[in-house]
Amino acid sequence: MTKARRISTCLWFDDNGEAAARFYVSLFPNSRIVSVSRYGEGGMMRAGLAMLTRFELDGIPFAALNGGTHYKLSEAASIVALCDTQEEIDRLWAALIADGGAESRCGWLKDRFGLSWQVIPSMLEKIMTEDLPQPRRVMAAIMKMSKIDLAVIEQAANQ
């Protein structure tokens, strides 16, 4: 029997948390909507609106809470998507900035729901923990990018 996870991330949305969760699970393998609870009559939001959508992204638990306009998502917290190939980076980047998302710098972006993401190569951690000159060259290259370009990172790492 597997042990229930006791820690997860809850994301606050005005009223589109269920739509966000459904979008996110469409992007990652091993992802699913776990449950949706809805507001009833007389609740703080309109009856029938998803109150809490529990979902998993690549097996990691999240919740999307529709709580109104009291709080906003910000860049102070982000979801990191580690990618193995340039094709994966390109696919996630395009999907996440579509329909009103916005590029930022160094592999960061904000999706149309206002959630901040880091779409970065999985090999970056290994490079950044190696000898001192290599991480500096790689970081200098990354600082010039919006969407990560693996070929440029590999070139900087191998100089």
Side-chain angles (χ1 to χ4, degrees):
M1 180 178 284
T2 58
K3 182 178 179 179
R5 294 197 176 161
R6 295 174 31 182
I7 297 174
S8 68
T9 300
C10 183
L11 305 167
W12 183 289
F13 294 87
D14 290 352
D15 62 2
N16 56 1
E18 182 179 13
R22 291 193 185 285
F23 172 63
Y24 302 148
V25 301
S26 76
L27 298 177
F28 297 95
N30 190 31
S31 299
R32 66 188 180 110
I33 300 294
V34 174
S35 65
V36 180
S37 59
R38 300 193 179 278
Y39 284 101
E41 293 296 329
M44 64 181 260
M45 303 287 281
R46 69 178 160 77
L49 178 70
M51 178 174 55
L52 188 69
T53 303
R54 293 199 178 277
F55 62 104
E56 293 177 354
L57 297 181
D58 198 16
I60 305 298
F62 290 87
L65 172 69
N66 283 326
T69 59
H70 304 292
Y71 302 108
K72 296 290 180 205
L73 296 167
S74 81
E75 293 83 355
S78 61
I79 296 177
V80 177
L82 297 175
C83 300
D84 293 330
T85 65
Q86 187 66 50
E87 293 77 24
E88 189 178 11
I89 290 170
D90 293 346
R91 179 185 67 81
L92 284 175
W93 190 269
L96 289 167
I97 63 167
D99 301 321
E103 295 184 359
S104 188
R105 296 185 52 186
C106 309
W108 290 61
L109 62 86
K110 191 178 277 192
D111 70 27
R112 67 181 180 245
F113 300 102
L115 184 59
S116 199
W117 291 80
Q118 297 177 57
V119 180
I120 58 176
S122 54
M123 51 76 115
L124 193 58
E125 184 174 349
K126 181 179 185 295
I127 289 174
M128 298 308 290
T129 58
E130 292 179 357
D131 68 7
L132 202 52
Q134 188 180 34
R136 278 192 242 146
R137 290 191 309 266
V138 169
M139 278 310 299
I142 289 172
M143 294 301 289
K144 297 175 186 170
M145 298 179 193
S146 287
K147 180 178 72 172
I148 297 296
D149 184 330
L150 275 177
V152 172
I153 289 175
E154 289 168 350
Q155 181 181 16
N158 295 324
Q159 282 182 339

